[in-house]
Amino acid sequence: MRRRLLVVGLGLVFVATYAAAQVGTQPGADKRRSGYRDMGEALQKIQDDDTANPGMLFVQLGSQLWARPAGVANKSCADCHGADAASMKGVAARYPTIPAGGERPLDLEGRINLCRTEHQSADPLPPENRDLLALTAFIAHQSRGLPIAPPADPRLEAFRQQGEEIYRRRQGQLNLSCAICHDDNAGKKLAGIVIPEAHPTGYPIYRLEWQALGSLKRRLRNCLVGIRAEAWPLDAPEYTALELYLMERAKGLKLETPAVRP
């Protein structure tokens, strides 16, 4: 009797374990992977621990800049949006977007610079500037854990289609496209590194390769250089169009800012 109960019990455990393992493989299940899942356990622990994540140093700097008056208007971000930045929760999840009165989409960095010029009467910060990255990281950090939710704005569709065309276009001396690496060969290894699906879930990110925080534009530019293609200037609208498509492609995945990557 005991043996029969043991066999039945083991069978139930097997069925439950098998069912749990199949959750992600059912038809319609979301099989997309953040780059976080392709990293080793040691790097995952660095990202998960805010006391070890080097990107958090930029978030802290961003919180200081948030409260610091700037420009001729001598106003801070906190003067308009509140000291605790609670109003920024969810903002990073829906950028790029077209601002009120605008005709073209802006990424989050562009929105920060628009606020600087229009509301603080300050000069815009240049691409990859430390303060711009820090402010972007601080704002995006308020949305950590929230799903990416691109706005349903029909005005964005043409720009999103441009981004998809860029994503699928072969370029450079290697005649490669983003899709060849990140769709067709995602999960395989290149030079010992797992090729990610390229979902923009953690930008700005801290890359060990850079030993610094960097924007999505910097990463895209690195890819263009890697396939021996001509890289656009960091303020080129092509980057925003490509980000629009990538955010739509990653819709529903959770933001991780500041992420850590190899």
Side-chain angles (χ1 to χ4, degrees):
M1 183 68 178
R2 288 182 180 178
R3 184 175 180 181
R4 182 180 298 175
L5 289 175
L6 178 61
V7 170
V8 171
L10 289 174
L12 291 173
V13 170
F14 171 78
V15 170
T17 304
Y18 179 80
Q22 296 303 305
V23 168
T25 62
Q26 295 299 316
D30 191 347
K31 300 176 184 178
R32 295 173 300 170
R33 297 170 60 89
S34 160
Y36 172 89
R37 293 176 59 191
D38 293 321
M39 299 194 303
E41 183 180 356
L43 280 182
Q44 289 179 347
K45 287 182 177 179
I46 290 175
Q47 177 174 314
D48 294 342
D49 185 351
D50 284 349
T51 65
N53 184 335
M56 290 302 298
L57 295 174
F58 291 84
V59 172
Q60 292 172 14
L61 173 60
S63 70
Q64 297 169 14
L65 296 170
W66 179 264
R68 184 182 303 168
V72 174
N74 197 38
K75 294 176 65 176
S76 69
C77 306
D79 289 333
C80 291
H81 302 290
D84 62 359
S87 63
M88 295 294 103
K89 186 174 183 177
V91 168
R94 60 178 183 265
Y95 266 78
T97 190
I98 299 176
E103 297 181 352
R104 298 189 63 85
L106 291 177
D107 59 13
L108 189 53
E109 294 175 4
R111 176 69 251 192
I112 291 171
N113 272 332
L114 184 62
C115 282
R116 285 180 60 83
T117 56
E118 289 194 348
H119 302 297
Q120 295 177 303
S121 298
D123 293 332
L125 297 168
E128 299 308 305
N129 173 273
R130 185 195 65 163
D131 289 356
L132 181 57
L133 288 170
L135 274 170
T136 307
F138 173 69
I139 294 170
H141 183 64
Q142 309 311 309
S143 300
R144 185 169 68 173
L146 295 181
I148 292 173
D153 184 346
R155 298 176 299 169
L156 291 171
E157 187 56 31
F159 300 101
R160 190 175 289 121
Q161 289 178 6
Q162 179 191 8
E164 182 174 5
E165 188 278 325
I166 293 171
Y167 182 82
R168 302 191 182 284
R169 182 202 308 162
R170 289 177 178 267
Q171 299 185 68
Q173 294 177 349
L174 299 186
N175 195 34
L176 293 173
S177 69
C178 308
I180 289 174
C181 283
H182 302 296
D183 287 348
D184 301 344
N185 291 287
K188 298 178 183 179
K189 288 191 175 183
L190 179 64
I193 302 297
V194 175
I195 300 174
E197 294 182 358
H199 297 300
T201 53
Y203 287 88
I205 62 173
Y206 189 95
R207 287 186 64 90
L208 301 184
E209 174 189 358
W210 297 339
Q211 289 292 292
L213 200 74
S215 70
L216 178 59
K217 292 188 185 77
R218 181 175 180 181
R219 187 68 194 100
L220 296 174
R221 186 179 175 88
N222 283 174
C223 282
L224 289 171
V225 172
I227 62 174
R228 309 294 189 267
E230 183 175 352
W232 310 301
L234 284 171
D235 58 354
E238 286 86 351
Y239 290 117
T240 306
L242 189 49
E243 181 177 354
L244 264 171
Y245 172 68
L246 291 175
M247 290 294 275
E248 182 67 29
R249 181 171 167 266
K251 183 177 181 179
L253 295 179
K254 292 182 179 180
L255 288 174
E256 306 169 31
T257 310
V260 175
R261 296 292 186 264

